[in-house]
Amino acid sequence: KLQFLYFIGMLPCIWVAYLGAIQSLGTVSFTSYIDEICVKGNYAYVGMPAYGMKVVDVSDPANPSVVGDLPLTGVFKGYGLDVVGNVAAFADMNKGVYIIDVSTPTNPQVSATVTPAVIAAGSEPVDVCIINNKVYVSDASTLKVFVIDITSPAAPSVLSSSAWSDTSVVTGIPRIIAVGTTDLHLAADTAGYRKLSTTPPLSTTISEAVPAAGDKFRDVAQGSGTTFFIAGEPFGLKKITISGATYTEVAAYPSTQSQSHGVVFCPQSTGHVYFVDGYGHTSSLTEVDESTFNLVQSYSVSGIKAIASDGVRVYLGKDAELDIWGLPPTQAPPTQAPPTPAPPTPAPPTAAPDTPAPPTPAPDTPAPP
């Protein structure tokens, strides 16, 4: 798409920028389907519930390669995965929360496992986020948020549930994200939206929104400033703002299939929002302008079960394939064309060198008498 046309002096210059039109840059395949992706720096950490975790080097998105491998025996259903610094937390409904050392991404190792029985009787952890040496865990069974202290990753401890949980906070399969170091935001399924303080007691609700009858809030992503995006069903995508304790719904973009389970924002490249329209083999990727909330483009991409972003590119878990999407190489900024040189001026003809005059013969001298 043409973004700018202007003149430098009398010379027209064009600067072309891609406002959308992302494309698949590279893929890598696995033997198990993908349920969660977390991208940090040059690595994508990929959670696969039937296997464990893989680490993919994405420094060259056209040629991603698996560099790290962590099989987890008996993993039943992995959902949440977060990485901060040298520590990863991986939530599994059946096994609990794995605390993983990723100081060497090519050789990830389990530091400790916090089982469901340790978290709470009957718990089913489904999502995690890490803030200041604490793992915040949303639980689908107890409908609570728990906190695991990982100051010592090899010896994690669950903080008191009476001070750190709230039965009204979550329901269904809640997704949780960290906003700065003080707030947690949850897309809490049929319970709606919650903004919680990370300061004890965790049950303090700063802001909340109860969804309309039949609505389910499936995922949340942070936009610019106080803007957030909620993916869910049957509405598709919502744009909201949260200022203090005030929740305001600003706009909505409908789902063509009456459901969405994932949303990301790419502020460092397109400035657009991407959400998964549908689920699995009936899914597509939809790109929406953050400001206008109008459609930019829809991409036919089936099999999407997970979506993530590093702020620049979009990472899709398509069944057993990691597919990296981003902008194609952009044209360089405009430069003024050098002036056309004037045609050369012909040199004046070179004069022939002077030919010396022939010597004048001496006059005849008369013979003597």
Side-chain angles (χ1 to χ4, degrees):
K1 295 183 180 180
L2 180 63
Q3 186 177 28
F4 298 114
L5 172 63
Y6 58 94
F7 289 81
I8 299 178
M10 296 301 291
L11 299 175
C13 293
I14 296 175
W15 187 349
V16 176
Y18 292 91
L19 308 180
I22 61 173
Q23 63 187 29
S24 177
L25 303 175
T27 62
V28 61
S29 297
F30 307 100
T31 56
S32 178
Y33 75 88
I34 298 170
D35 215 26
E36 187 69 9
I37 307 166
C38 180
V39 185
K40 298 292 182 177
N42 290 328
Y43 299 99
Y45 298 83
V46 181
M48 295 172 286
Y51 178 82
M53 189 181 78
K54 298 274 191 180
V55 184
V56 181
D57 186 334
V58 294
S59 56
D60 178 4
N63 296 286
S65 60
V66 177
V67 296
D69 181 62
L70 182 63
L72 300 171
T73 305
V75 175
F76 168 68
K77 189 64 176 177
Y79 274 103
L81 178 61
D82 194 19
V83 180
V84 173
N86 294 328
V87 178
F90 183 29
D92 179 80
M93 292 177 68
N94 187 43
K95 295 293 184 178
V97 177
Y98 293 94
I99 309 302
I100 303 169
D101 181 353
V102 292
S103 56
T104 304
T106 56
N107 185 32
Q109 298 291 323
V110 174
S111 299
T113 304
V114 184
T115 65
V118 172
I119 296 173
S123 69
E124 294 180 338
V126 292
D127 202 11
V128 291
C129 68
I130 303 174
I131 307 174
N132 290 341
N133 291 324
K134 293 181 176 63
V135 180
Y136 295 81
V137 184
S138 61
D139 191 274
S141 176
T142 63
L143 308 183
K144 296 181 179 181
V145 175
F146 296 94
V147 179
I148 301 173
D149 190 323
I150 57 168
T151 303
S152 175
S157 60
V158 179
L159 302 183
S160 172
S161 61
S162 61
W164 293 86
S165 64
D166 181 359
T167 56
S168 68
V169 168
V170 296
T171 185
I173 301 177
R175 305 293 281 178
I176 185 170
I177 65 169
V179 179
T181 59
T182 59
D183 296 335
L184 301 170
H185 288 240
L186 293 93
D189 207 271
T190 55
Y193 194 88
R194 294 289 189 276
K195 174 186 175 183
L196 306 177
S197 170
T198 59
T199 304
L202 189 66
S203 58
T204 301
T205 301
I206 301 173
S207 177
E208 65 180 296
V210 178
D215 281 1
K216 297 179 180 180
F217 289 6
R218 296 296 198 190
D219 196 16
V220 55
Q222 186 175 8
S224 301
T226 59
T227 300
F228 294 83
F229 306 102
I230 303 171
E233 57 182 85
F235 54 85
L237 184 67
K238 291 180 183 289
K239 177 181 179 180
I240 66 170
T241 59
I242 295 183
S243 179
T246 304
Y247 169 105
T248 305
E249 185 173 318
V250 178
Y253 191 88
S255 166
T256 61
Q257 301 185 50
S258 299
Q259 66 171 316
S260 176
H261 65 91
V263 58
V264 296
F265 178 49
C266 288
Q268 299 171 38
S269 53
T270 62
H272 294 162
V273 185
Y274 300 85
F275 76 99
V276 181
D277 192 352
Y279 182 78
H281 292 290
T282 62
S283 64
S284 61
L285 180 65
T286 300
E287 181 178 10
V288 177
D289 184 273
E290 183 199 20
S291 300
T292 65
F293 228 52
N294 292 330
L295 176 68
V296 176
Q297 193 158 336
S298 182
Y299 306 89
S300 179
V301 187
S302 64
I304 304 174
K305 289 184 170 65
I307 184 171
S309 174
D310 57 3
V312 178
R313 290 178 286 270
V314 178
Y315 298 77
L316 302 177
K318 297 172 13 186
D319 291 327
E321 180 181 79
L322 176 66
D323 194 356
I324 305 173
W325 283 63
L327 292 174
T330 56
Q331 182 172 321
T335 55
Q336 183 174 356
T340 304
T345 303
T350 304
D354 292 337
T355 303
T360 303
D364 293 337
T365 304

